[in-house]
Amino acid sequence: MSANIRELKMTDYVRWGILGAANFARAHMGPAIHQARRGRLCALATSSEEKAAPFAERAPGLKVHLSYDDLLADPEIDAIYIPLPNHLHVEWTVKALEAGKHVLVEKPLAMQAADFAPVIAARDATGKLAAEAYMVVHHPQWKKAKALYEEGAIGALKRVSVAFSYDNRSDSNNIRNRPETGGGAVPDIGVYAYGTVRFVTGEEPQSILSTEIERENGVDVWSHITARFPSFHYTGVVSMRMAPWQEVVFHGDGGVMRLSAPFNAGVYGQAEVELQGADLKVTRWRFPSDNHYVHQVEAFNASVLDGAPYPCPLEFSRGTQEMIDMIWAAEKA
């Protein structure tokens, strides 16, 4: 056990800093870090005190650094959360690891699977925890879905259908609508449409069967993807130009499992798992109050403090990016 881990065990909490005052960090991850057991939001790096004000309201005594490098050099910070634009994730994750910090970085961590290599190398060299902020796998809704699948509740899986959409066409300055910041619907929400299916089934795509992709200003805004996995067929739509909708269906020869609000539980709607058997009997499990952002931070804290295995390692996240790389390659073929 390292001296760093021993010191953290004495205080029994992780001291967090946030690299950038992003809207998402202010609305979701800042509050989650503050609420999570065994963690404390202690610092923020941003370009102005004004941007820091909403964070300080939730975390009295918050230390504000006016440069990212100053936050990384702060000896009183153990872990860094990075909500920067997508194209900056790899650079600042490696910098934070080399500065001796644990890192939780927003998805997608990288724009292509090969870019995971320097992050994994830095993680292994420093012995620090680094992970993509893939919060959904920490939610009991998805844990229940995985358990039901593994128990054989739907029999042999034949088909998976995923839909995830929202409409941000009116926000032209949004980083998701800008190619230079790694925008696009597939990088933003495709990671959920593809990664959660991999999480539940434990399978990897064998081939991309079809790609229909619409682009605006150099970014994908709508796509319909079909793929062949070893034991099932996949079809999925993700879009930034459709009315909000979220649904995942696992269809087997012995039943159907459907997840409502699978990606923004508590914001889009109530998280539920619905299981319909071959006899048409329906059983539902509801999760009205779970916050997957809080669960994610608590899992991260437990890994840092206790050495507990982290549920979503970089290798899993790289697998999702490999599927995205396959989609881009199929589109060009």
Side-chain angles (χ1 to χ4, degrees):
M1 182 183 298
S2 69
N4 186 37
I5 295 295
R6 283 198 299 270
E7 179 183 349
L8 287 173
K9 279 184 172 292
M10 291 175 65
T11 57
D12 202 31
Y13 67 87
V14 177
R15 300 168 297 182
W16 284 87
I18 299 179
L19 201 70
N23 291 336
F24 183 81
R26 183 181 69 246
H28 296 289
M29 282 300 295
I33 292 170
H34 182 67
Q35 295 170 27
R37 292 171 294 179
R38 308 179 76 190
R40 183 176 299 173
L41 178 55
C42 296
L44 170 73
T46 183
S47 58
S48 73
E49 296 278 356
E50 182 180 355
K51 291 181 180 179
F55 293 85
E57 289 176 2
R58 294 180 178 271
L62 184 77
K63 185 188 299 184
V64 178
H65 294 286
L66 298 181
S67 82
Y68 295 164
D69 288 316
D70 285 349
L71 175 59
L72 299 190
D74 189 337
E76 297 182 342
I77 296 301
D78 307 306
I80 301 291
Y81 166 64
I82 301 177
L84 299 175
N86 296 342
H87 69 298
L88 299 175
H89 289 174
V90 169
E91 173 188 356
W92 284 99
T93 298
V94 171
K95 285 183 177 180
L97 288 167
E98 292 177 344
K101 312 301 184 186
H102 304 280
V103 182
L104 182 65
V105 57
E106 265 310 318
K107 51 78 199 162
L109 186 152
M111 296 289 93
Q112 56 185 4
D115 291 338
F116 274 77
V119 180
I120 291 174
R123 176 201 65 184
D124 293 345
T126 61
K128 298 298 179 180
L129 174 60
E132 187 180 63
Y134 200 62
M135 74 290 184
V136 286
V137 299
H138 302 276
H139 198 289
Q141 178 191 35
W142 280 103
K143 293 180 180 180
K144 183 64 177 180
K146 183 175 178 65
L148 288 170
Y149 173 78
E150 292 176 345
E151 291 166 7
I154 61 172
L157 181 62
K158 299 298 183 181
R159 178 184 69 92
V160 177
S161 176
V162 180
F164 190 5
S165 62
Y166 61 89
D167 191 342
N168 72 350
R169 76 186 75 199
S170 64
D171 190 1
S172 60
N173 291 323
N174 192 300
I175 60 173
R176 296 164 183 82
N177 285 320
R178 294 162 51 192
E180 68 273 18
T181 54
V186 167
D188 184 43
I189 57 179
V191 292
Y192 298 124
Y194 316 139
T196 51
V197 175
R198 295 177 53 247
F199 172 72
V200 168
T201 66
E203 294 190 17
E204 302 293 346
Q206 294 177 318
S207 61
I208 304 301
L209 302 177
S210 66
T211 62
E212 295 181 68
I213 299 176
E214 295 179 3
R215 295 179 181 273
E216 295 177 10
N217 189 37
V219 301
D220 63 288
V221 297
W222 179 92
S223 68
H224 176 242
I225 306 300
T226 62
R228 167 55 59 190
F229 283 71
S231 66
F232 63 91
H233 182 275
Y234 171 91
T235 180
V237 172
V238 299
S239 178
M240 304 189 299
R241 297 294 185 269
M242 295 173 68
W245 183 255
Q246 301 181 17
E247 183 180 57
V248 181
V249 176
F250 296 86
H251 193 168
D253 63 6
V256 179
M257 180 168 64
R258 175 181 173 271
L259 283 75
S260 66
F263 308 121
N264 294 118
V267 176
Y268 175 78
Q270 179 173 269
E272 297 183 0
V273 176
E274 175 185 286
L275 179 65
Q276 178 179 295
D279 58 359
L280 302 185
K281 179 181 178 181
V282 175
T283 305
R284 290 184 179 87
W285 294 264
R286 297 180 173 89
F287 308 91
S289 59
D290 286 274
N291 184 315
H292 48 200
Y293 302 113
V294 173
H295 289 319
Q296 175 180 243
V297 176
E298 290 180 343
F300 195 97
N301 292 343
S303 291
V304 169
L305 294 168
D306 306 329
Y310 192 68
C312 189
L314 292 178
E315 288 78 5
F316 174 85
S317 297
R318 181 178 59 191
T320 299
Q321 186 60 48
E322 287 171 347
M323 182 171 176
I324 293 174
D325 290 355
M326 291 172 64
I327 290 169
W328 297 146
E331 180 192 18
K332 295 176 182 178

